[in-house]
Amino acid sequence: MLICTHAERSRHMVTAFLLLRFFLHPRKQWLICYSSHGAYSQSKLALVLFTYFLQEQLTAGGFAVTVNAVDLGMVDTALYVNLWSLAQALKKPVAKTLFRTPAEGASVSIYAAAAAEMEGVGGCYLYNGVKTQSSDLSYDSELQVKLWKKSCELVALQKT
């Protein structure tokens, strides 16, 4: 999470993650057998759900803080170091043309936190620095509340 503070301006929080937008939908077969890709995708969905609900809570509380979810896209990081050998060999040429560098990935988060046009804008999903609609499931307010309450329970905070 990136937090950026400007003098006499609101604060910005950015939840950033690496994924492709179409992975933000859990599939029923993931409930039957474990899939690392499925678990990764569900964790990213949870970040978006949490971001939307957190923005609602901050707004309702009168806090001058904005929170946005930022999809960094595919970034060439050490995340891929544990791929099996053939996948690593295939990834190298692909990464040079399709993946962002770590600096390019970071620039998307910095834009969301510091750009003048993002001042006062919260509860958004940004892909390539553009406000984009996330998966339909990410807007499910009941699921957002359920995640919020479970998160509070897991860290021993009082439920709101």
Side-chain angles (χ1 to χ4, degrees):
M1 181 175 292
L2 172 69
I3 301 175
C4 183
T5 305
H6 302 279
E8 300 180 23
R9 291 171 59 185
S10 64
R11 298 171 191 254
H12 304 270
M13 283 190 279
V14 178
T15 52
F17 42 89
L18 311 170
L19 74 150
L20 298 174
R21 287 180 289 147
F22 55 86
F23 291 146
L24 278 176
H25 194 296
R27 301 193 174 151
K28 290 181 183 176
Q29 64 266 28
W30 294 343
L31 300 174
I32 298 168
C33 64
Y34 178 78
S35 160
S36 59
H37 174 73
Y40 180 81
S41 298
Q42 286 182 338
S43 73
K44 301 315 154 200
L45 172 62
L47 283 171
V48 177
L49 288 162
F50 193 88
T51 298
Y52 291 163
F53 191 79
L54 178 57
Q55 182 61 58
E56 285 182 26
Q57 297 302 301
L58 291 168
T59 300
F63 296 98
V65 177
T66 57
V67 185
N68 292 297
V70 177
D71 182 345
L72 305 178
M74 302 277 294
V75 178
D76 193 13
T77 66
L79 176 68
Y80 306 100
V81 76
N82 293 319
L83 292 174
W84 50 285
S85 300
L86 179 59
Q88 281 185 358
L90 295 172
K91 178 232 162 221
K92 287 181 183 181
V94 171
K96 289 186 189 279
T97 57
L98 298 179
F99 288 23
R100 294 173 189 251
T101 66
E104 291 168 334
S107 71
V108 179
S109 294
I110 293 168
Y111 166 80
E117 58 268 28
M118 293 303 294
E119 183 66 31
V121 177
C124 295
Y125 176 81
L126 299 166
Y127 181 72
N128 285 331
V130 176
K131 287 186 245 176
T132 306
Q133 184 168 340
S134 54
S135 71
D136 291 342
L137 191 57
S138 67
Y139 297 99
D140 183 330
S141 57
E142 289 180 19
L143 193 55
Q144 291 172 4
V145 169
K146 185 177 178 181
L147 174 65
W148 184 266
K149 287 181 178 181
K150 187 63 175 177
S151 297
C152 288
E153 178 186 320
L154 290 171
V155 296
L157 290 177
Q158 289 183 346
K159 297 176 187 172
T160 60

